[in-house]
Amino acid sequence: IFPREVIRLVSPGTVIEPGLIKNEKNNYLVSLFIHENTAGLAFLDISTGEIGVSHFNDNEFHNRLNAEISRLHPSEILLPESIHLPFAEQYHVTSLQDWKFELGRSEQLLKTQFHVSSLDGFGLKNKPAAVAALGAILGYVKESDPQALALFTDLNFYAIEDHMVLDEATRRNLELTETILKVSEAGSLLGVMDKTRTPMGKRMIRRWVNQPLIHAGEITERLDAVEYLLENGLDRLELQKQLRSVADIERIINRVVAQHAVPRDLVALRETLEILPVILKKVSGHIPLLDRETGAMDDCSSEFMLLRESIAEDPPATLAHTGVIRPGYSSELDEIIQSTKNSRDYIANLEKVEKERTGIKTLKVGFNKVFGYYIEISNSYADQAPEEYIRKQTLVNAERFITPKLKEYETIVLNAEENIHAIENRVFKEICAELKKSSKKLLAASRFLGTLDVLASFAQAASENNYVRPKLSEDKHLMIKNGRHPVVEKTRVDISFVPNDTVFANGDNIQVITGPNMSGKSTYLRQVALIVLLAQIGSFVPADAAEIGIVDRIFTRIGAQDEIHAGQSTFMVEMIETANILHNATDKSLLILDEIGRGTSTYDGLSIAWAVLEYIHNHPRLKSRTLFATHYHELTQLPDVLPNIKNYNVAVSEVDNQVIFLHKIVPGGADRSYGIHVAQLAGIPGPVITRANEILAQLEGQSRQLELKDEASHPTQMALFTQDSPVLK
Amino acid sequence: IFPREVIRLVSPGTVIEPGLIKNEKNNYLVSLFIHENTAGLAFLDISTGEIGVSHFNDNEFHNRLNAEISRLHPSEILLPESIHLPFAEQYHVTSLQDWKFELGRSEQLLKTQFHVSSLDGFGLKNKPAAVAALGAILGYVKESDPQALALFTDLNFYAIEDHMVLDEATRRNLELTETILKVSEAGSLLGVMDKTRTPMGKRMIRRWVNQPLIHAGEITERLDAVEYLLENGLDRLELQKQLRSVADIERIINRVVAQHAVPRDLVALRETLEILPVILKKVSGHIPLLDRETGAMDDCSSEFMLLRESIAEDPPATLAHTGVIRPGYSSELDEIIQSTKNSRDYIANLEKVEKERTGIKTLKVGFNKVFGYYIEISNSYADQAPEEYIRKQTLVNAERFITPKLKEYETIVLNAEENIHAIENRVFKEICAELKKSSKKLLAASRFLGTLDVLASFAQAASENNYVRPKLSEDKHLMIKNGRHPVVEKTRVDISFVPNDTVFANGDNIQVITGPNMSGKSTYLRQVALIVLLAQIGSFVPADAAEIGIVDRIFTRIGAQDEIHAGQSTFMVEMIETANILHNATDKSLLILDEIGRGTSTYDGLSIAWAVLEYIHNHPRLKSRTLFATHYHELTQLPDVLPNIKNYNVAVSEVDNQVIFLHKIVPGGADRSYGIHVAQLAGIPGPVITRANEILAQLEGQSRQLELKDEASHPTQMALFTQDSPVLK
């Protein structure tokens, strides 16, 4: 019978408090359902209103599911308690009872949520796993924060196949959004490309970088927009200056809808809506990609008018204090403020009045929580206090008094304060309810501003770093002229970056790259992958020219982190990743293979590397564009027998025993590796270096070149890989 | 003139809200000051009251400072804005104006804080950098949360040299508190050792694991305690059962002192204090290490009595609701509750009474925020409502009424509620103030419980896993009989773990270990390091017997993570870490070197590995106990020329072309590496495996054994390293 308040249940995926989530990242809640060979994945961001669902049913759905989760990097994953997913364990997993994924319940929840009688219109026909995942996630939000359901009005079904697939290792190896060692954004590709000015843009550019496109039309639309903003540089600078004043209206609107908004939020929204028409006017009609966004909105001037009229110029940040509503908006409020004006004036003037009346210069009027308002007189004048003063408190240096009249006015002021507070809260809620009606339009405006911000960011990066517009095609072509590594060229200001060409043409699809450590092999490999990726997110690229046959998937096999206690050695990890590539790559994939075979002894490793290259070269499903860096100089013999392989090495200049790495990739194989030189640079003690050189000289004197050509010249052996070879199965 | 509230400033290092910090970890705030060749480091945990300060002035202070910060893993680091520390960047750095580290200001703050007139008593004489760091950290806390200063009554100056040094790479490589790949505690050494039952114990065991001891006396004291608890297993089980009911009183006491405590906290404290005497009685007199802790406390029975008398049996969690204070404790409270009893009873009985009187079965009494209490009658009976009922609200199915009498009692009840709330809050604050007086004693009790918990945890781990007490000495001895990897033996339940012996005796100090991948080389290397570390944190060890000459520092050079954009290749990182080891290791260090030289081409790497081993073998400062795993089978020739090196390899059984790794370390060198076998296990396609085997057969047929013995048999060359060699400089 006694009253109780309902408290919002909070979990990592349903947090919306501004201090607890990051502005620059989406905070995704993900739900997974797996049944036999199909899986459904639903995700949403309760702080922005984004919701999506996808469906997996191909052979390698575990791989793709894993890749998609690594893209979303959710702060919480919902799973039926009967399903155990090892790769989900690195996230915060919330197990739900299985019935919460039940199909009938899910369908009902979805129909209610989206006000439809069939789910087919959302592309969910015959995708029960997707429906189950989506139902569970909505049910979960409903339980934890029912208000928030109002945010999700539109559903986006997407197919993983519509985007480039990037597995977790590749994301990490290419350092797309954070560096490997420091896990920081600075030094990542995103760190270079992100010139966004708004929180929406910052989240969107992260999504774009994580999800390259594979349809030429979509990519071209983005490139056209970037080109326009690059060519109209002054307009872009003006726009970016205006974007700087744009607030995180995406999250603000969602707080308004969820009834968590505070006055500070509406002020920020007002400031943004004031700029919106100016921005709209400047871009409309010039950029088709943006014009499409603006179709669902107007310039939001009526919402701006409401906010201008109703919210005070500079209100307190939260509803805990009064002064939120602008005078003139609520007559009820104005009246009560007016009616207490006399009492306020009386208290405000009291010090001056009483000082004059009593002639006591040290007289002060103050306030504290225990006694309320009081009149303070220092000890030396205390005996001159007028008769009607009532002593209330004695301090070391002063006495404090009240008067009946002061207390009377105090009561009026304090009571009025309480009333004003209550009315302001109510009026504020009414304003929010009014805004809620425009939420769809406002969210479209937010999306428009975010998209513009990202496109302008791409244009700025292109302008500052001399990027060029890539040409895209559907074939297996790849031509990069004077390509640069977008991150390394920025971070190493002490040296000038050496650009390199990359060409796969005339059927060539494999480059074997030899050369010493520290010479830039790894940088070159990553640079090619990043240029392709940049092109496919719709950005200009760091090169003098680039023609790119669209890539369906980038695979990388670089470095390794040991997972020791699980019993996998570095080499095992290396081989598992290599096997994954050989099984899943296609002739449209790009393969970046760094030092395959390094994890085992020399001859074993060399044999494996050799066989892997042959396989990629010969298997009809593969023939992928491949960059293969290696320490095995013996592999430079491969082009003699495998026509589509070409040798490259990193040029080195040796003058007076001084080794200079030229960082230039040139045709042909390398012959030395300069490992001891690197050891010296690293600070290995002098005697160790001297000794190592002695030992090396001896080894080289003794060994003779391994005669692998013997094998290559056996035409009978090569015949294995032409017709009925097991490779072709 | 109008009132304003002071809000607590919160930063990552000064958070105390229970939901925002982890129970199992300390939340450290660190302050650093560096001047020329000296550095001061102060740290504190505002949630537990721990505070410490240290001073660095040796040659390699950057290394040691780095290692110490990595041990503390602070959530925030304070730095003067003029100082830039690259290795601090992975943490949350707060730059303070330089004057906040000013010496005079710092000394003044410290003297005021600790009520002393000189800082010498704290060991801070002639350590201005330490004083500056400490002053800045206290000043920072004072600004953000002045109340919290009351927590820090005792200062602990500690010298880094009193503990084993573990640099960041070694902590990570040995997976002390988290695994490398998943960054989770499960699978780490802590995951195996942590059987603690209390949050204090959980934090303390993490500190112990991160900070092994090097003084035999301290280690022995812990081992004695573990032995007692192991031998008295039933007592220990009983104690651990009781510890399970112990709350996080360390943080509770600190919330009490900082005036943030809630009723739930005091209930938890009460439950803990109820158990304390029982625990004390059981252990006192048996464990010298614990008896020392209990010297500063008693059984806290007076504090328990206070809590039992004052706090309700099952109060609400927070002060937002009433019912916190136990009836009988405050007569003021009891009176007001009694005086409103009639009104409460009236409302509570109203439904029953009115139902009977009117004969309306659907009559209900309810409450809502807008109308307060009301009487609800369903539409079908609404016309039978008595005359004196006043209609207030019309619902779809019912009418709601009030009566003047109901409203009268409602006013009494609601007003009383407000009064009760105010009085309860006041009384609660008084109880907290009373407890605050005992905070030092209560914190000692908390420390006692935490220490007991960790020691019992060690005993339980020893009991469950068959650990044995290690013998410690100050010499360079190392003997482990049937040692096991403490984590791997637990996590791989599918296979039985193969134990291995480790012996460094008769001047031997280097083991060269060859053997195929996946055979357990890496596990063996780490196992030796972990057994030494366990012994030096005072734990029993996974072996049949162990004699350990105390190690001053464990160095590891294992695996590598590329830091690509910084322009450092894997091999550069490998060489920098190796150089660090060669420069800083001593004859009391333990070196774990896995595949030195792997990152470059074969001959370069082999030469470097060879020269590094010679250096460790011959340099008088080094001669460290060293485990060196390698793929270079050529290195097995070393013992022929360097007497203190011994060869070991991992036994392999080959039956019918099936390879079985026996995981047994045996004397002698290996001859094959089985890399292709691993590739097959990893799922590399069959045709690739077949082809790799063909290539391998050819390579092996062609190559002849490299004749490095030529070199070894030159006595003139070896003479280089005996007397006036550059190595000896």
Side-chain angles (χ1 to χ4, degrees):
Chain A
I1 247 176
F2 290 90
R4 239 172 221 292
E5 270 190 58
V6 173
I7 295 162
R8 212 166 65 82
L9 298 171
V10 170
S11 65
T14 60
V15 174
I16 55 164
E17 283 69 18
L20 298 177
I21 49 176
K22 294 192 170 159
N23 279 335
E24 71 273 18
K25 288 187 189 173
N26 279 101
N27 188 48
Y28 287 124
L29 172 68
V30 158
S31 159
L32 289 180
F33 186 76
I34 297 175
H35 181 66
E36 289 170 1
N37 266 331
T38 64
L41 176 151
F43 72 86
L44 57 81
D45 182 342
I46 206 168
S47 67
T48 66
E50 188 186 1
I51 184 166
V53 60
S54 191
H55 186 252
F56 303 77
N57 65 348
D58 62 357
N59 303 335
E60 49 154 346
F61 89 82
H62 262 95
N63 272 327
R64 286 176 179 265
L65 195 56
N66 198 340
E68 182 62 2
I69 289 173
S70 111
R71 176 181 79 83
L72 292 166
H73 201 79
S75 51
E76 183 175 1
I77 296 182
L78 309 179
L79 270 181
E81 54 189 5
S82 63
I83 292 181
H84 172 72
L85 269 192
F87 65 74
E89 274 170 18
Q90 59 186 297
Y91 302 97
H92 178 104
V93 170
T94 301
S95 283
L96 301 180
Q97 290 135 299
D98 286 5
W99 62 266
K100 297 202 168 173
F101 290 80
E102 201 268 314
L103 195 61
R105 176 184 187 261
S106 291
E107 280 176 353
Q108 201 45 55
L109 267 166
L110 292 179
K111 288 175 184 168
T112 312
Q113 176 66 28
F114 299 110
H115 309 290
V116 293
S117 58
S118 156
L119 302 174
D120 298 357
F122 291 119
L124 290 174
K125 194 172 179 176
N126 296 327
K127 300 195 177 73
V131 172
L134 196 55
I137 206 170
L138 286 172
Y140 186 72
V141 170
K142 193 176 176 186
E143 276 174 30
S144 67
D145 189 4
Q147 298 286 2
L149 277 186
L151 312 172
F152 303 107
T153 52
D154 248 343
L155 182 63
N156 168 29
F157 179 84
Y158 65 107
I160 299 298
E161 297 77 33
D162 287 344
H163 296 100
M164 185 195 282
V165 177
L166 296 166
D167 56 44
E168 195 179 348
T170 299
R171 268 173 224 286
R172 201 175 49 227
N173 287 331
L174 294 181
E175 302 192 298
L176 295 188
T177 58
E178 57 189 29
T179 56
I180 293 173
L181 213 60
K182 309 277 181 186
V183 198
S184 75
E185 188 186 313
S188 70
L189 179 67
L190 184 62
V192 170
M193 297 303 296
D194 183 3
K195 316 276 183 189
T196 58
R197 308 295 205 261
T198 71
M200 292 88 78
K202 208 165 270 303
R203 291 192 294 270
M204 191 178 285
I205 196 172
R206 181 178 285 268
R207 290 201 298 272
W208 285 21
V209 164
N210 267 317
Q211 201 172 35
L213 306 171
I214 55 169
H215 299 311
E218 290 179 84
I219 300 172
T220 304
E221 201 175 29
R222 286 191 190 169
L223 288 172
D224 287 345
V226 174
E227 185 166 341
Y228 175 82
L229 290 164
L230 184 64
E231 284 176 356
N232 297 275
L234 285 176
D235 283 350
R236 189 194 77 234
L237 286 175
E238 188 67 24
L239 283 167
Q240 288 185 301
K241 205 171 136 196
Q242 284 151 351
L243 284 171
R244 207 182 277 284
S245 326
V246 165
D248 195 346
I249 62 169
E250 187 175 34
R251 283 189 169 157
I252 289 174
I253 295 155
N254 281 288
R255 282 202 293 278
V256 167
V257 172
Q259 305 185 12
H260 298 292
V262 293
R264 176 177 43 196
D265 289 333
L266 297 201
V267 172
L269 181 58
R270 180 173 66 194
E271 285 165 359
T272 300
L273 295 186
E274 187 163 13
I275 305 161
L276 180 62
V278 188
I279 295 177
L280 266 176
K281 194 163 166 235
K282 188 152 260 150
V283 298
S284 81
H286 296 302
I287 302 173
L289 178 58
L290 290 177
D291 289 344
R292 199 139 43 71
E293 293 285 354
T294 53
M297 52 182 274
D298 58 20
D299 65 359
C300 300
S301 55
S302 60
E303 289 77 12
F304 170 64
M305 291 301 285
L306 169 64
L307 289 167
R308 202 176 59 176
E309 282 164 12
S310 63
I311 303 293
E313 197 56 38
D314 184 22
T318 72
L319 287 166
H321 297 96
T322 57
V324 172
I325 305 300
R326 187 185 288 268
Y329 182 72
S330 160
S331 51
E332 185 183 4
L333 200 59
D334 293 346
E335 270 164 33
I336 194 167
I337 290 171
Q338 186 56 39
S339 74
T340 55
K341 191 172 179 307
N342 286 342
S343 311
R344 288 169 182 275
D345 288 350
Y346 174 84
I347 293 175
N349 290 323
L350 190 62
E351 184 170 311
K352 186 159 156 276
V353 170
E354 290 295 293
K355 233 185 214 164
E356 273 174 22
R357 186 171 76 91
T358 60
I360 302 174
K361 283 179 188 161
T362 62
L363 184 147
K364 276 185 278 189
V365 173
F367 179 91
N368 75 27
K369 283 206 158 183
V370 182
F371 299 107
Y373 291 100
Y374 55 79
I375 299 166
E376 186 178 303
I377 300 179
S378 67
N379 282 345
S380 39
Y381 295 94
D383 53 351
Q384 297 177 31
E387 288 272 310
E388 73 275 23
Y389 278 24
I390 303 162
R391 179 158 306 165
K392 259 294 175 188
Q393 197 184 7
T394 302
L395 306 181
V396 180
N397 299 317
E399 297 283 341
R400 286 179 177 174
F401 304 88
I402 57 166
T403 68
K405 198 159 184 193
L406 175 58
K407 286 293 130 178
E408 186 185 308
Y409 284 128
E410 175 186 303
T411 308
I412 294 170
V413 167
L414 294 185
N415 282 343
E417 194 77 10
E418 218 168 279
N419 273 328
I420 291 169
H421 194 225
I423 297 169
E424 286 214 324
N425 276 354
R426 203 192 61 225
V427 173
F428 186 81
K429 287 218 157 39
E430 289 163 7
I431 299 165
C432 287
E434 193 59 32
L435 286 171
K436 185 174 170 178
K437 294 178 193 158
S438 307
S439 60
K440 228 170 163 161
K441 191 169 76 177
L442 290 167
L443 280 175
S446 162
R447 216 160 34 237
F448 158 75
L449 290 167
T451 311
L452 170 62
D453 195 14
V454 175
L455 294 169
S457 179
F458 281 0
Q460 184 184 344
S463 158
E464 287 178 2
N465 307 323
N466 279 315
Y467 290 178
V468 69
R469 178 171 178 151
K471 286 195 183 61
L472 292 157
S473 66
E474 304 278 358
D475 58 23
K476 289 183 54 182
H477 201 67
L478 187 67
M479 187 287 293
I480 298 167
K481 187 158 172 49
N482 283 327
R484 287 120 50 205
H485 190 297
V487 180
V488 176
E489 74 163 343
K490 299 292 289 180
T491 47
R492 306 230 47 198
V493 286
D494 50 326
I495 49 164
S496 72
F497 189 90
V498 179
N500 274 303
D501 295 346
T502 308
V503 180
F504 286 106
N506 307 320
D508 287 352
N509 68 316
I510 298 177
Q511 297 191 356
V512 169
I513 302 144
T514 42
N517 267 291
M518 300 284 295
S519 65
K521 284 202 308 291
S522 290
T523 301
Y524 172 70
L525 259 60
R526 289 172 167 87
Q527 154 186 326
V528 175
L530 289 175
I531 287 174
V532 168
L533 187 137
L534 278 176
Q536 292 189 218
I537 64 175
S539 164
F540 282 26
V541 299
D544 289 352
E547 293 175 32
I548 290 161
I550 289 174
V551 163
D552 65 348
R553 193 158 171 171
I554 299 176
F555 285 95
T556 61
R557 167 50 236 161
I558 301 177
Q561 293 167 299
D562 299 46
E563 188 173 11
I564 303 129
H565 71 272
Q568 294 189 336
S569 68
T570 314
F571 182 62
M572 188 67 176
V573 173
E574 180 184 327
M575 284 297 106
I576 288 173
E577 290 188 18
T578 305
N580 174 45
I581 295 172
L582 296 181
H583 287 298
N584 295 315
T586 76
D587 65 343
K588 300 208 113 198
S589 302
L590 176 64
L591 273 45
I592 303 292
L593 305 176
D594 199 358
E595 308 282 3
I596 291 267
R598 184 172 73 182
T600 183
S601 65
T602 316
Y603 290 164
D604 281 14
L606 175 53
S607 308
I608 290 166
W610 186 291
V612 163
L613 276 170
E614 277 189 359
Y615 192 74
I616 297 170
H617 185 274
N618 293 328
H619 196 297
R621 173 177 49 77
L622 292 167
K623 299 183 185 295
S624 324
R625 283 159 286 181
T626 304
L627 296 172
F628 191 103
T630 183
H631 279 308
Y632 296 126
H633 297 164
E634 293 83 353
L635 291 178
T636 56
Q637 301 164 44
L638 274 170
D640 298 343
V641 280
L642 301 173
N644 296 334
I645 297 187
K646 289 283 172 292
N647 280 331
Y648 291 86
N649 75 91
V650 195
V652 173
S653 144
E654 246 179 304
V655 182
D656 298 337
N657 209 17
Q658 276 289 319
V659 177
I660 297 166
F661 297 145
L662 302 177
H663 303 288
K664 196 76 192 172
I665 307 289
V666 295
D671 51 1
R672 278 195 57 190
S673 75
Y674 303 93
I676 299 175
H677 180 72
V678 172
Q680 187 171 15
L681 293 177
I684 296 282
V688 179
I689 298 294
T690 311
R691 186 73 181 108
N693 273 319
E694 284 171 21
I695 297 166
L696 178 64
Q698 233 174 347
L699 286 169
E700 284 179 340
Q702 286 167 12
S703 86
R704 58 194 175 87
Q705 193 68 22
L706 294 173
E707 297 283 333
L708 273 164
K709 290 211 181 166
D710 282 4
E711 188 274 333
S713 58
H714 278 301
T716 47
Q717 290 214 359
M718 286 312 298
L720 266 177
F721 300 97
T722 46
Q723 283 161 317
D724 46 13
S725 135
V727 172
L728 301 180
K729 272 184 209 163
Chain B
I1 250 177
F2 289 91
R4 236 171 223 293
E5 269 190 59
V6 174
I7 294 162
R8 211 166 67 81
L9 300 170
V10 170
S11 66
T14 59
V15 174
I16 54 163
E17 282 69 18
L20 299 177
I21 48 175
K22 294 194 172 159
N23 280 334
E24 70 274 17
K25 287 186 188 172
N26 279 101
N27 188 47
Y28 287 124
L29 173 67
V30 157
S31 159
L32 289 181
F33 185 76
I34 297 175
H35 181 66
E36 289 170 1
N37 265 331
T38 64
L41 176 151
F43 73 87
L44 58 80
D45 182 341
I46 206 169
S47 67
T48 66
E50 189 186 0
I51 183 167
V53 60
S54 192
H55 185 252
F56 302 78
N57 65 349
D58 62 357
N59 303 335
E60 50 154 344
F61 90 83
H62 262 94
N63 271 326
R64 286 175 180 265
L65 194 57
N66 199 338
E68 181 62 3
I69 289 173
S70 111
R71 176 181 79 83
L72 292 166
H73 201 81
S75 51
E76 183 176 4
I77 296 183
L78 309 178
L79 271 181
E81 54 190 4
S82 62
I83 292 181
H84 173 71
L85 270 192
F87 65 73
E89 275 170 17
Q90 59 187 296
Y91 301 98
H92 179 103
V93 170
T94 301
S95 283
L96 301 180
Q97 290 136 300
D98 286 4
W99 64 265
K100 298 203 167 172
F101 289 81
E102 202 267 315
L103 195 61
R105 176 184 188 261
S106 290
E107 280 176 352
Q108 201 47 57
L109 268 166
L110 291 179
K111 287 176 185 168
T112 311
Q113 176 68 28
F114 298 110
H115 309 292
V116 292
S117 58
S118 156
L119 301 174
D120 298 357
F122 290 118
L124 291 174
K125 194 171 180 176
N126 295 329
K127 301 196 177 71
V131 171
L134 196 55
I137 205 170
L138 285 174
Y140 187 72
V141 170
K142 193 176 175 185
E143 277 175 29
S144 67
D145 189 4
Q147 297 287 1
L149 277 188
L151 310 174
F152 303 107
T153 52
D154 248 342
L155 182 63
N156 168 30
F157 179 83
Y158 66 105
I160 299 297
E161 297 77 33
D162 287 342
H163 295 100
M164 185 195 282
V165 177
L166 296 167
D167 55 44
E168 197 180 344
T170 299
R171 266 173 226 288
R172 200 175 52 228
N173 286 332
L174 295 181
E175 302 192 296
L176 295 189
T177 57
E178 57 189 30
T179 56
I180 293 172
L181 213 59
K182 308 278 180 182
V183 199
S184 75
E185 189 186 313
S188 71
L189 180 66
L190 185 62
V192 171
M193 296 304 296
D194 183 3
K195 315 276 181 188
T196 58
R197 309 294 204 263
T198 70
M200 293 88 78
K202 209 166 269 303
R203 291 192 294 271
M204 190 178 286
I205 197 171
R206 182 178 285 268
R207 290 199 298 272
W208 285 20
V209 165
N210 267 317
Q211 202 173 34
L213 307 171
I214 54 168
H215 299 310
E218 289 180 84
I219 300 172
T220 304
E221 201 175 27
R222 288 191 189 170
L223 288 172
D224 288 345
V226 174
E227 185 166 340
Y228 175 83
L229 289 165
L230 184 63
E231 285 177 355
N232 298 274
L234 286 177
D235 283 352
R236 189 195 77 234
L237 287 175
E238 188 66 26
L239 283 166
Q240 289 184 299
K241 206 172 136 196
Q242 283 150 353
L243 284 171
R244 208 182 276 282
S245 327
V246 165
D248 196 347
I249 62 170
E250 186 175 36
R251 283 188 168 157
I252 289 174
I253 295 155
N254 281 289
R255 283 202 293 277
V256 167
V257 172
Q259 304 185 11
H260 298 292
V262 293
R264 178 178 41 198
D265 290 332
L266 297 201
V267 172
L269 181 58
R270 181 173 64 193
E271 284 165 1
T272 300
L273 295 186
E274 187 164 11
I275 303 162
L276 180 62
V278 186
I279 294 177
L280 266 175
K281 193 162 165 236
K282 188 153 260 152
V283 297
S284 83
H286 295 304
I287 301 172
L289 179 57
L290 290 177
D291 288 344
R292 199 139 45 70
E293 294 285 355
T294 54
M297 53 181 275
D298 58 18
D299 65 359
C300 301
S301 55
S302 60
E303 290 76 13
F304 171 64
M305 291 301 285
L306 169 64
L307 289 167
R308 202 176 59 175
E309 282 164 13
S310 61
I311 303 295
E313 198 56 39
D314 184 22
T318 71
L319 286 166
H321 297 97
T322 57
V324 172
I325 305 300
R326 187 185 289 268
Y329 182 71
S330 160
S331 51
E332 185 184 4
L333 200 58
D334 293 347
E335 269 166 32
I336 196 167
I337 290 172
Q338 187 55 39
S339 74
T340 54
K341 191 173 181 304
N342 286 343
S343 310
R344 288 169 183 276
D345 289 349
Y346 174 84
I347 294 175
N349 290 324
L350 190 63
E351 183 169 313
K352 187 161 154 276
V353 170
E354 290 293 294
K355 232 186 217 167
E356 274 175 21
R357 187 170 75 91
T358 61
I360 302 174
K361 282 181 189 162
T362 62
L363 184 149
K364 274 184 278 190
V365 172
F367 179 92
N368 75 26
K369 283 204 157 183
V370 182
F371 299 107
Y373 290 99
Y374 55 79
I375 299 166
E376 185 177 305
I377 300 179
S378 66
N379 282 347
S380 39
Y381 295 95
D383 52 352
Q384 297 176 31
E387 290 270 310
E388 73 275 21
Y389 277 25
I390 302 162
R391 180 158 306 167
K392 259 294 176 188
Q393 196 186 6
T394 301
L395 307 180
V396 180
N397 300 317
E399 298 282 343
R400 287 179 177 173
F401 303 89
I402 56 166
T403 68
K405 199 158 183 194
L406 175 58
K407 285 292 129 179
E408 187 184 307
Y409 284 128
E410 175 185 303
T411 308
I412 295 170
V413 168
L414 294 184
N415 282 343
E417 196 76 10
E418 217 167 280
N419 274 326
I420 290 170
H421 194 225
I423 298 170
E424 286 214 325
N425 275 355
R426 204 191 62 225
V427 173
F428 186 80
K429 287 217 159 39
E430 288 163 7
I431 298 166
C432 286
E434 193 57 33
L435 285 172
K436 185 174 171 178
K437 294 178 194 158
S438 307
S439 60
K440 230 172 163 160
K441 192 168 77 177
L442 290 167
L443 280 175
S446 162
R447 218 162 31 240
F448 158 75
L449 290 167
T451 311
L452 170 62
D453 195 14
V454 176
L455 293 170
S457 180
F458 281 0
Q460 184 184 343
S463 158
E464 285 178 2
N465 306 323
N466 278 314
Y467 290 179
V468 69
R469 178 171 177 150
K471 286 195 184 58
L472 292 157
S473 66
E474 303 279 358
D475 57 23
K476 290 183 52 183
H477 201 66
L478 187 67
M479 188 286 294
I480 298 167
K481 187 157 173 49
N482 283 328
R484 287 118 51 203
H485 190 297
V487 180
V488 175
E489 74 163 341
K490 299 291 291 180
T491 46
R492 306 229 50 196
V493 286
D494 49 327
I495 49 162
S496 72
F497 189 88
V498 179
N500 274 303
D501 296 345
T502 309
V503 181
F504 286 108
N506 307 321
D508 286 353
N509 68 317
I510 299 178
Q511 297 191 355
V512 169
I513 302 145
T514 42
N517 267 292
M518 300 284 293
S519 64
K521 284 204 307 294
S522 290
T523 301
Y524 172 70
L525 261 59
R526 289 172 167 88
Q527 155 186 324
V528 175
L530 289 176
I531 287 174
V532 168
L533 187 137
L534 278 176
Q536 293 189 218
I537 64 174
S539 164
F540 283 26
V541 300
D544 289 352
E547 292 174 32
I548 289 161
I550 290 174
V551 163
D552 66 348
R553 195 159 170 171
I554 299 176
F555 285 96
T556 60
R557 168 49 236 161
I558 301 177
Q561 294 168 298
D562 299 47
E563 188 173 13
I564 303 128
H565 71 271
Q568 294 188 336
S569 69
T570 314
F571 182 61
M572 189 67 174
V573 172
E574 179 183 327
M575 284 298 107
I576 288 173
E577 290 189 17
T578 305
N580 175 44
I581 295 173
L582 295 181
H583 286 298
N584 294 315
T586 76
D587 65 343
K588 301 207 111 198
S589 302
L590 176 65
L591 274 46
I592 303 293
L593 306 175
D594 199 358
E595 308 282 2
I596 293 266
R598 184 171 75 183
T600 183
S601 65
T602 316
Y603 290 165
D604 281 16
L606 174 53
S607 307
I608 290 167
W610 184 293
V612 164
L613 275 171
E614 278 189 357
Y615 192 73
I616 296 171
H617 184 273
N618 294 327
H619 196 298
R621 173 177 49 77
L622 292 167
K623 298 183 184 297
S624 325
R625 282 160 287 182
T626 303
L627 296 173
F628 192 104
T630 185
H631 278 309
Y632 296 126
H633 296 166
E634 294 83 353
L635 292 178
T636 55
Q637 301 162 46
L638 273 170
D640 298 342
V641 281
L642 301 173
N644 297 334
I645 297 187
K646 290 284 171 291
N647 280 332
Y648 291 85
N649 76 90
V650 196
V652 173
S653 143
E654 245 180 304
V655 181
D656 298 338
N657 210 17
Q658 275 290 318
V659 178
I660 297 165
F661 297 146
L662 302 178
H663 304 287
K664 196 76 192 171
I665 307 289
V666 294
D671 51 0
R672 278 195 56 190
S673 76
Y674 302 94
I676 299 175
H677 180 72
V678 172
Q680 187 172 13
L681 293 178
I684 296 283
V688 179
I689 297 293
T690 310
R691 186 72 180 110
N693 273 318
E694 286 171 19
I695 297 167
L696 178 64
Q698 233 174 347
L699 286 170
E700 285 181 340
Q702 287 169 11
S703 87
R704 57 192 176 91
Q705 193 66 22
L706 294 174
E707 297 283 333
L708 273 164
K709 291 211 180 166
D710 283 6
E711 189 274 330
S713 58
H714 279 300
T716 46
Q717 289 214 1
M718 288 311 299
L720 265 176
F721 300 96
T722 46
Q723 283 162 317
D724 46 14
S725 133
V727 173
L728 301 181
K729 270 185 209 165

